[in-house]
Amino acid sequence: MVSGASGSERSRTSASQVPPASGRLDAGALVFVAALAALAVMVLLPLAWLFFTSLQAPESGRLGFGNYATAFTQWIYLSPIVNSLVLATSVATVAVLLGTPLAWLVSRTNLPGRGLLRVAIIAAFVTPPFLGAQAWMLLAAPHSGWLNRAFVALTHAPEGPFNIYSLAGAIFVMASYNIPYTFTFVAGALALMPSEMEDAAAILGSSALRRTLTIVLPLALPAIIAGFIMSFLEAISEFGAPAFILIPARTQVITTQLYLFFQYPPRVEVAAAYAMPLLFVTAALLYVQRRLIGRRRYTMIGTKGARRNLIGLGAWRWPLACAAFGVPFVTVALPYAALLATSLSRAWGRGPVPGNLTLYWYHWAIIDNPETKAAIFHSLTYAFAAATIAVLIAIVIGFAVQRGLVAGGQILSFICMAPYVVPGIILAIGFYAAFSRKPLLLYGTAWMLIVAFATRFLPIAYSSFTAAMQTLSADLEFAARTLGAGRLRSIRTITLPLLRSGILSAWLLVFIPALRELSCAIFLFTPGTAVMSTVIFDFSDAGNFEALSTMGILILAITFAIVFLMYRFLGRSLIEAEAQPA
Amino acid sequence: MTRPSRTAFLALAGGAAAGLALPSVADARKGLTDADVSKLYEAAKKEGTVTWWTAHYAQSAADKVRDAFKAKYPGIEVQFIRQTAQVIFQRLNQDLKSGVHECDVFASTDESHYTTLKKQNVFAEFVPADIDKVPASLRHLDPDETYQIGALGFVLINYSTKVKPARDWQGLLDPKWKDQVTLGHPAFSGYVGNWVVAMNDKYGWDYFKKLAANNPKIGRSINDTVTDIVGGERQIGAGPDNYSLEKKAAGNPIDVAYPSDGSILITSPVAVLKAAPHPNAARLFMNFYYSKEYSQALLKVYNYPLRTDIAPANGIKLDKIKWYRNKVDRLATGIPEVVAKWRELFNV
C-alpha cells in the first residue's frame, strides 16, 4: 500500500526525479502502519461494536432490525431528532453569523483592541458548554436569574424577559461557545491569505467593502463552511448543555434521549440504533464540505509569506469595537462573573450579603476533598496524553493523505473524521462494548478515558493539521528530496517546523476540550478515574452550585494558565514568524 | 458463640471466598463480634480502599460519612461516587454485564434494585454487628441477608419560607402554584420514583395530569427541588427532608412540611457485592453503617439516623410521623410503569 503510493504521487506531481531513498521510506512506512493500527483500534473497533450492538436483539442477542423499528417509529423518539436538527442548525447559523465578521474585524481591520478581542473570543472556546449553561441558569432562570431579577428591580415589571430553560436558551448558550470555531478557522484563513488580489482590485478602484465581499469572503468560504459544519456537529453531539437546560425545558434532543435509553431498564441496543442516522448525516455533511472545498482549493502559501493590509474602519472604529466586544462580554465575562460569585459564596441562595463571602469551596476542592483533588490531576494528565496521541496520529495520517502517499486517502480521512459524527455518549457505548472485555480491557483504567478523548477529538487534530498542511505547498519538501534528503528527514526538518504553529494549535484544540470532556467521560469513568467534568456533573444534579462553580472556575483557570504558558514558551517565535514581512 | 477458625472457614468456603476474614454466614447471622470486626479491619487495611457507589444522600452527607469512617478506621481510603439511584444502578448493571468488578458497596434508594440484583445472585450475604440497633421493622429487610437497610429519608413538601406551604399532596395541584412547582425525575432519582409510585397508587395518574397544569419544573435528582427553592426559581415541590434541612441550616430560605396525607418513607438498602474487589473493606464499611459514628455523621447533615438510640436532628421520631412506604414488589413494577407515563405526560 505504501510503496505503491509513490507512483500515484509521481503521477500527480512533476517530481518524478525524486530519488527513491527506499530505506527511509520503510521507516516512514513503519510509522504509518503503527498509526493505522491505532486508528483501527480507536475508531473502527468501537464503531464496529456499536453497529453490531444496534443489530442485536436485547434479550436473545439475535441479529435483526428490531431496534431500528423501535427507535424510528414512535413520535416520542422522533421528536428529539427534529429538535436536535433545529438546535444544531440554529447554533451553527448563529455561530457563523457572529464568528465570521468578528474574525474579519480582528484580522483585517484596524479595530481598536483587536488583540484583546481575539483572546476574549478564544476564551469562549475554553469554556465548557455545560459550565456556560450552568452560569446562564444562574443568570437567566425565569424567576431566580440575576438578570431577570435586576430587570424586575429596575422596571418593576412582573417578571424578567429571559428564560434559559427553552430551546432558544439552549441555542443561545451553545452558539456562544461555538463562535470560536468559525472565528478561528476564518481568522486563520484570512491571516494566510496573500493580499496581491486585493491589492490588484484596489488599484483597479474597488472599494474596501467590495474587495471584502468579492475576494476575501469567497476565499474564506471553505473556512466559513468548515466552521458551520464543525458547530453543527458539535451542537448535535453536545450532551452537557442540553442536559442542563433542555431537560428542565422538557425538550428532548438526540443526546438527552440517548441518555434516557441508558436509564433502567437500559436499552443500549436501541440507543445504538438510534445513533446510526447521525453517522450518515455527518458523512453527508463531510462529503458536502469536501466538494465545496475541493472546488475552491487554493494553495495560499507558496514559498512566499503573506503581507497584511489593514482596512481602516474610519468613523466606524469605535461603534464596531463596542459591538464586537459585546460578544465576549455576553459569552465570557457575564457567565464567568456569575460562576466566580457563586464559587465565593458560602450559600449562593443568600446572595451578596455580609458573611457570605468565602474561599471555603476552593479550600474544599483543592485541599480537603480527595475526590476533587484526584479529579483535577486526572483531567490534566488524561487531556495531555489524549492530545498527544491524537496529534501524532493526525500528523502521520494527515501527511500521508495530503501528500498522496497512500491509496485510499479519502477513506483514511473519513475514518479520522468519523468520531466527530458520533456523539460522545454513543462513542462511549462503542468504547464500553469494545474495551470492557479481554483482550483489550481498558475499562476501569486511565486508558479508557485517554483513548476515548483522543478518539473523540482526533477529528479536530486531523482537520486542524490538514488545514494547516493545505496551505503549505510541497515544493520545499520536493526540493529537499531532490537534494537527497529522505522522506522522514524532509518532513522533520522542513514540513513540521513550518507547521509548528499548526501542530501546536491542533494539540491545544484537543487538549482544551479533552480537559472538560463530559459526554464520553460520564459513562466511562469509574470512581478511580473521575475527572473534573464528571465531578461537576455529579454536583449539578445535587444542586451543589457552589462546589460546581468552584470546580468550573478551576477548570477555566488551569486551562488559561496552560494556554498562557504555551504561548509564553512557543508563542514568541510564532508571533515573530507571523509578523515577519516577506 | 463458637466460631470456626480462619483456616477452618477458608476450608469451608473453598477458594471462592479466599482472603475473607469473616466467620461463616450461619454464625454471622448472630452478628459480628468485636474480634470479628478487628480482624476485618486488619484485612481491610491490606486492601487499602473501599469503593462505594451511593445514591443515599447528597454529596455533603457522603463526605461526612467518609470522614467518619476514616476517623474510625484510619488507613482505608473511601472512594465514592454519588449519583442518582437509577444512574448507579445502570452503571452496576453495565459492569456486571461485562464482568468488570469495581463496586464494593452498592447504596441505592430504590429498594427494587436489590430484589432485582439479588435474583442475579450478585450480593454477598452479610449481617452487620449492630443491625439490631435499627428500628425493628427495618431489621433484616432481606430474609436471606443479602442486603440491609442503609439510610432513611422522606419525600415531603419542600417550600420557600416566603410562602405558606400546601398542607398535603393535593395542595400542590392548587392553581396558585402555577409555574412555582419543582420536581425531580422518576427515571433518575429513587426518591422521586418512590414518590411518583406512591402518588399514582394513592390518587391515580390523574394526580399528575392535574399537576402538569401547574407546569412543574422537572430536574433529575430529588435534590434539584431543593436547589430550585433555595435559588428562588420555584416556591414549592416534592423534595427530600435531609438535604433541605441541611440547606435550611446553612441559612437558605427553605423549609419542609410533613403532608397530612403522609410523607413517603424511603428505605434505602445497602449491600456488599459478592465480587467486591475489596471484600474485607466492603464488609467493614457496611458494618460501619450501623455504628453510632455513622448515625452521628448523618445527623450533622440532617439525615435520619439509622439507630434508634440516636435522636433525629429535628427531634421528630419516626413513629411520630405519618408516613407511607411502597412495598418493594410494587416498586419493581411501578417505577418502569410510571416512568413511561411520566415521559408521555411531561415529554421528558
Side-chain angles (χ1 to χ4, degrees):
Chain A
M1 199 172 165
V2 177
S3 57
S6 60
S8 74
E9 171 205 308
R10 232 175 259 127
S11 65
R12 283 170 58 163
T13 68
S14 56
S16 52
Q17 65 272 39
V18 172
S22 57
R24 307 288 177 99
L25 195 65
D26 284 347
L30 213 64
V31 172
F32 179 73
V33 168
L36 270 190
L39 206 56
V41 169
M42 289 164 61
V43 181
L44 295 183
L45 193 63
L47 289 182
W49 268 108
L50 178 66
F51 188 64
F52 178 70
T53 307
S54 80
L55 293 171
Q56 255 186 329
E59 294 298 324
S60 63
R62 288 225 308 268
L63 298 184
F65 289 93
N67 299 320
Y68 289 86
T70 311
F72 300 111
T73 52
Q74 300 169 58
W75 178 243
I76 190 170
Y77 301 146
L78 290 174
S79 68
I81 298 176
V82 175
N83 291 337
S84 269
L85 290 174
V86 171
L87 178 73
T89 309
S90 310
V91 166
T93 306
V94 174
V96 162
L97 287 180
L98 287 170
T100 308
L102 283 171
W104 180 78
L105 282 171
V106 165
S107 46
R108 280 309 172 101
T109 73
N110 63 346
L111 191 84
R114 50 189 185 277
L116 180 66
L117 183 61
R118 179 190 291 265
V119 172
I121 291 169
I122 302 296
F125 179 57
V126 175
T127 316
F130 60 86
L131 216 50
Q134 174 58 51
W136 278 99
M137 284 159 66
L138 294 166
L139 287 165
H143 297 115
S144 59
W146 298 342
L147 294 179
N148 284 325
R149 281 186 184 178
F151 181 87
V152 168
L154 289 173
T155 62
H156 303 289
E159 52 187 19
F162 308 110
N163 179 8
I164 199 64
Y165 299 115
S166 61
L167 194 58
I171 291 168
F172 165 75
V173 168
M174 290 165 72
S176 297
Y177 304 104
N178 272 292
I179 293 171
Y181 284 114
T182 302
F183 177 84
T184 323
F185 291 169
V186 176
L190 292 177
L192 294 168
M193 210 179 275
S195 54
E196 282 91 341
M197 279 176 280
E198 285 169 81
D199 293 346
I203 290 165
L204 293 171
S206 166
S207 72
L209 179 67
R210 191 186 154 118
R211 291 198 302 273
T212 302
L213 292 180
T214 58
I215 298 171
V216 178
L217 202 60
L219 279 174
L221 195 59
I224 294 172
I225 292 169
F228 183 92
I229 291 178
M230 207 76 166
S231 291
F232 182 93
L233 298 177
E234 184 73 18
I236 210 164
S237 61
E238 168 70 17
F239 166 69
F244 278 48
I245 295 175
L246 290 179
I247 290 181
R250 294 194 220 149
T251 305
Q252 297 292 349
V253 291
I254 295 174
T255 50
T256 55
Q257 181 57 52
L258 287 169
Y259 189 69
L260 291 183
F261 280 136
F262 278 23
Q263 307 309 313
Y264 191 79
R267 303 170 76 187
V268 179
E269 295 85 0
V270 178
Y274 194 65
M276 282 300 160
L278 269 184
L279 283 174
F280 298 107
V281 168
T282 314
L285 275 177
L286 288 174
Y287 177 74
V288 169
Q289 185 193 32
R290 184 178 305 273
R291 284 290 299 266
L292 281 168
I293 294 175
R295 204 182 296 155
R296 293 170 184 267
R297 184 188 295 277
Y298 309 101
T299 300
M300 290 188 292
I301 295 188
T303 48
K304 291 171 284 184
R307 191 163 56 84
R308 299 286 158 71
N309 267 358
L310 295 184
I311 294 169
L313 293 172
W316 287 97
R317 265 187 101 202
W318 289 102
L320 279 174
C322 287
F325 273 96
V327 173
F329 177 77
V330 170
T331 60
V332 179
L334 264 182
Y336 283 20
L339 290 177
L340 192 63
T342 307
S343 74
L344 293 171
S345 305
R346 198 167 290 280
W348 68 277
R350 287 167 63 195
V353 293
N356 201 16
L357 185 71
T358 180
L359 282 173
Y360 168 81
W361 293 106
Y362 287 91
H363 191 271
W364 177 86
I366 301 170
I367 296 165
D368 283 350
N369 188 292
E371 275 72 39
T372 47
K373 266 196 296 190
I376 293 167
F377 177 74
H378 292 157
S379 282
L380 285 171
T381 47
Y382 299 177
F384 188 95
T388 307
I389 292 170
V391 166
L392 284 177
I393 292 173
I395 290 174
V396 175
I397 304 288
F399 187 86
V401 171
Q402 287 293 310
R403 289 290 179 257
L405 302 183
V406 290
Q410 295 234 332
I411 297 171
L412 285 180
S413 276
F414 180 76
I415 295 173
C416 283
M417 294 305 291
Y420 213 84
V421 311
V422 191
I425 294 176
I426 285 296
L427 197 64
I429 312 178
F431 259 74
Y432 187 83
F435 301 125
S436 64
R437 62 190 80 218
K438 286 168 183 168
L440 287 166
L441 186 64
L442 299 183
Y443 188 73
T445 72
W447 289 107
M448 190 71 163
L449 292 173
I450 292 171
V451 178
F453 293 168
T455 307
R456 179 137 196 246
F457 300 117
L458 177 63
I460 298 183
Y462 186 78
S463 61
S464 166
F465 177 77
T466 51
M469 257 203 84
Q470 275 169 359
T471 64
L472 191 73
S473 93
D475 295 352
L476 289 173
E477 275 165 50
F478 291 146
R481 302 288 307 281
T482 309
L483 293 171
R487 166 97 57 212
L488 287 184
R489 181 170 171 194
S490 69
I491 294 170
R492 203 179 62 238
T493 57
I494 294 171
T495 316
L496 293 185
L498 278 174
L499 291 176
R500 194 173 40 182
S501 84
I503 291 169
L504 175 65
S505 70
W507 191 89
L508 279 174
L509 285 171
V510 175
F511 179 83
I512 293 166
L515 191 68
R516 63 179 203 204
E517 208 282 346
L518 173 68
S519 37
C520 256
I522 197 73
F523 292 99
L524 299 179
F525 86 103
T526 59
T529 60
V531 290
M532 292 175 83
S533 57
T534 60
V535 168
I536 285 177
F537 195 76
D538 282 1
F539 290 158
S540 82
D541 83 353
N544 278 312
F545 288 176
E546 302 90 352
L548 190 162
S549 301
T550 304
M551 287 299 278
I553 292 288
L554 288 175
I555 281 198
L556 294 172
I558 292 168
T559 314
F560 281 120
I562 284 163
V563 173
F564 177 77
L565 283 176
M566 297 284 298
Y567 277 92
R568 196 62 207 249
F569 283 114
L570 297 159
R572 188 186 295 268
S573 59
L574 290 181
I575 292 159
E576 278 169 6
E578 275 191 30
Q580 235 149 49
Chain B
M1 174 171 141
T2 54
R3 278 189 302 111
S5 71
R6 183 171 153 77
T7 336
F9 167 68
L10 284 180
L12 273 173
L20 200 55
L22 268 189
S24 73
V25 170
D27 284 320
R29 203 159 285 186
K30 297 171 198 153
L32 298 183
T33 64
D34 287 352
D36 293 332
V37 176
S38 322
K39 252 189 196 167
L40 212 47
Y41 179 32
E42 285 312 307
K45 267 198 273 192
K46 292 197 190 86
E47 293 164 359
T49 306
V50 59
T51 304
W52 176 37
W53 291 6
T54 181
H56 277 177
Y57 16 63
Q59 174 87 22
S60 48
D63 275 342
K64 289 277 186 291
V65 169
R66 175 202 56 206
D67 292 347
F69 177 80
K70 285 175 71 177
K72 185 164 185 176
Y73 299 111
I76 301 164
E77 207 43 65
V78 181
Q79 284 192 336
F80 74 86
I81 49 166
R82 194 225 72 94
Q83 291 205 333
T84 48
Q86 306 299 348
V87 172
I88 59 166
F89 180 56
Q90 165 58 8
R91 286 182 59 79
L92 185 63
N93 272 305
Q94 233 173 319
D95 273 19
L96 292 171
K97 206 174 160 188
S98 53
V100 170
H101 301 295
E102 282 205 315
C103 177
D104 289 316
V105 180
F106 179 70
S108 168
T109 56
D110 178 346
E111 209 176 331
S112 68
H113 289 167
Y114 292 83
T115 46
T116 307
L117 289 167
K118 187 187 162 190
K119 281 182 204 137
Q120 297 173 38
N121 197 24
V122 298
F123 291 139
E125 291 170 25
F126 181 63
V127 185
D130 285 339
I131 190 68
D132 291 342
K133 297 288 193 294
V134 307
S137 61
L138 300 173
R139 284 169 209 161
H140 310 284
L141 278 189
D142 173 26
D144 298 321
E145 314 286 3
T146 64
Y147 57 88
Q148 310 284 354
I149 183 71
L152 290 172
F154 289 101
V155 179
L156 35 62
I157 290 172
N158 279 207
Y159 63 97
S160 160
T161 49
K162 290 171 190 131
V163 299
K164 199 171 167 290
R167 287 182 54 253
D168 53 25
W169 292 121
Q170 289 290 335
L172 290 185
L173 306 180
D174 191 325
K176 76 172 173 180
W177 302 121
K178 173 108 172 97
D179 293 332
Q180 292 300 348
V181 178
T182 169
L183 308 169
H185 198 302
F188 289 85
S189 163
Y191 268 58
V192 178
N194 251 291
W195 174 70
V196 177
V197 169
M199 289 297 105
N200 177 65
D201 292 356
K202 213 173 175 114
Y203 299 121
W205 190 249
D206 256 9
Y207 180 82
F208 291 98
K209 286 186 182 159
K210 287 179 193 152
L211 193 56
N214 271 344
N215 188 31
K217 179 166 179 278
I218 296 165
R220 287 178 279 152
S221 169
I222 186 92
N223 295 332
D224 287 339
T225 308
V226 183
T227 309
D228 278 342
I229 293 171
V230 165
E233 184 53 38
R234 296 282 164 135
Q235 293 176 339
I236 196 159
D241 56 336
N242 39 38
Y243 192 54
S244 315
L245 292 171
E246 184 191 342
K247 286 290 168 184
K248 178 189 171 188
N252 292 289
I254 188 170
D255 211 338
V256 301
Y258 294 86
S260 59
D261 45 352
S263 305
I264 311 306
L265 176 65
I266 312 295
T267 48
S268 307
V270 60
V272 166
L273 280 122
K274 215 172 233 177
H278 313 100
N280 294 296
R283 284 162 178 81
L284 185 69
F285 189 78
M286 183 162 158
N287 192 60
F288 174 73
Y289 262 70
Y290 310 94
S291 65
K292 280 194 170 162
E293 290 90 337
Y294 175 86
S295 283
Q296 280 158 352
L298 287 184
L299 271 190
K300 287 185 204 156
V301 278
Y302 301 88
N303 272 257
Y304 234 86
L306 266 190
R307 287 171 67 115
T308 47
D309 57 356
I310 291 177
N314 60 2
I316 307 176
K317 291 209 165 181
L318 209 53
D319 50 17
K320 295 280 179 284
I321 298 168
K322 186 181 176 196
W323 51 257
Y324 173 84
R325 179 180 165 212
N326 288 301
K327 293 207 163 49
V328 61
D329 297 341
R330 175 58 193 142
L331 279 181
T333 57
I335 287 184
E337 179 190 314
V338 298
V339 164
K341 284 182 176 172
W342 183 278
R343 295 235 163 97
E344 207 175 301
L345 179 61
F346 293 110
N347 189 32
V348 68

